[in-house]
Amino acid sequence: QHYFIQSNLSSEMYGGKGSYSTGCYWTSYATLLAFIAIGLYYLFTGRSGEYDVGWVLEHISPYTWACLGIAAAMFLSVLGAAWGMFVTGASIVGGGVKAPRIKTKNLVSVIFCEAVAIYGIIIAIILVQNINPGTQEGFYSPELYPKNVFNGYCLFFAGVLTGMCNLACGICVGIIGSGAALADAQNSELFVRILVIEIFGSAIGLFGVIVAVLLGNNKKVGGI
């Protein structure tokens, strides 16, 4: 009886009618169907040239790409740090009920998660230094506009690269920190061993930071 109850609960949570996953699937299908319908409308009305993704990307201002990259670096890094602190903090509080001694020692996991957000703000500060105001004549000149577009793309992907790496790093450190807290509550000798794994996990975010610094170095947008 317990097995059937658990199976029914699992089916309701993950595959039943009205579940979260079902809602995500239907939302994805509806979005894809909407894009197809819009594309067919432009195609059969003789306006297919207006439904051009490349044209849209080329006509977005490099300032927009640069600012989106900075926002992505900050948002995704903070999201990863918050996610990691949520996971490891819940385990520290729960494990501290049985073993109060772990609450202070395992705060190092929270510090590692917070460092992920610091990586993001460092890259955001570096990238924002490359955005300068410019005149319309100089910015859109045939000689400088392609360079501004290229630099805008570089700043955008530098920010996205940093954010995605830090998001993965924050989740990784949070899960390892959660395991470290629970293992420490059972056996204090396991803490140092798992801490070594956590240190290597926290280094993942540095890889994205290093490449983002190289990608966004001297990529100025505007200033003419």
Side-chain angles (χ1 to χ4, degrees):
Q1 183 179 1
H2 176 72
Y3 171 77
F4 287 113
I5 293 175
Q6 186 175 6
S7 301
N8 292 333
L9 289 175
S10 300
S11 62
E12 291 178 2
M13 291 176 62
Y14 300 105
K17 184 177 179 180
S19 64
Y20 175 76
S21 59
T22 304
C24 292
Y25 292 148
W26 280 110
T27 302
S28 302
Y29 294 150
T31 304
L32 179 60
L33 183 61
F35 275 105
I36 294 175
I38 294 172
L40 291 176
Y41 169 78
Y42 277 97
L43 178 64
F44 291 116
T45 55
R47 301 165 58 189
S48 58
E50 300 179 17
Y51 193 74
D52 188 353
V53 178
W55 180 87
V56 173
L57 295 178
E58 289 178 0
H59 287 76
I60 294 177
S61 173
Y63 284 115
T64 302
W65 288 115
C67 292
L68 285 175
I70 295 170
M74 276 300 306
F75 170 73
L76 294 175
S77 298
V78 172
L79 179 62
W83 197 335
M85 285 189 286
F86 165 73
V87 174
T88 189
S91 297
I92 292 173
V93 173
V97 175
K98 179 185 177 186
R101 58 180 174 77
I102 73 168
K103 290 187 291 186
T104 302
K105 183 168 56 174
N106 282 271
L107 288 179
V108 66
S109 300
V110 179
I111 296 174
F112 283 143
C113 293
E114 184 66 25
V116 174
I118 296 175
Y119 297 158
I121 195 172
I122 290 173
I123 292 299
I125 292 173
I126 293 174
L127 297 182
V128 80
Q129 303 300 320
N130 294 326
I131 301 178
N132 300 307
T135 61
Q136 185 173 1
E137 294 78 11
F139 185 79
Y140 289 102
S141 63
E143 296 81 13
L144 296 178
Y145 185 69
K147 182 179 179 180
N148 286 323
V149 172
F150 173 75
N151 292 343
Y153 286 152
C154 288
L155 296 180
F156 171 73
F157 285 106
V160 172
L161 172 66
T162 302
M164 294 300 293
C165 289
N166 287 337
L167 177 61
C169 179
I171 297 174
C172 173
V173 173
I175 294 175
I176 297 175
S178 173
L182 297 178
D184 187 23
Q186 294 291 330
N187 186 356
S188 60
E189 296 180 357
L190 297 176
F191 175 76
V192 177
R193 301 175 185 177
I194 301 180
L195 183 63
V196 175
I197 304 175
E198 191 171 5
I199 292 173
F200 282 106
S202 65
I204 295 175
L206 287 175
F207 301 153
V209 171
I210 293 171
V211 177
V213 170
L214 297 176
L215 184 60
N217 187 31
N218 292 327
K219 300 299 189 300
K220 302 290 184 181
V221 175
I224 302 298

